[in-house]
Amino acid sequence: MVCPEGTCHMISGDLVMYRDDNHLSAMYTKSLKGWFARELTPLVEQSATDNP
């Protein structure tokens, strides 16, 4: 998601992606909220079902 095809860019659209050489910026991280929700919610729900 962050580094498609193995290439990391400093800017995505109009957002700066990194605050330093290895930390994502707060604004870019917030922009990933929907992606994280879609990807992680099913995993958390499955884990809750598997480990009641």
Side-chain angles (χ1 to χ4, degrees):
M1 180 68 188
V2 175
C3 298
E5 301 170 12
T7 302
C8 297
H9 301 283
M10 289 299 299
I11 298 174
S12 176
D14 62 349
L15 296 174
V16 174
M17 294 175 63
Y18 293 92
R19 66 180 178 101
D20 60 22
D21 63 343
N22 61 0
H23 292 92
L24 295 173
S25 71
M27 291 303 293
Y28 183 68
T29 303
K30 288 177 186 177
S31 79
L32 298 174
K33 179 182 174 182
W35 181 83
F36 277 115
R38 284 190 305 277
E39 296 297 316
L40 296 179
T41 299
L43 297 175
V44 171
E45 290 172 347
Q46 183 62 45
S47 178
T49 301
D50 293 345
N51 301 301

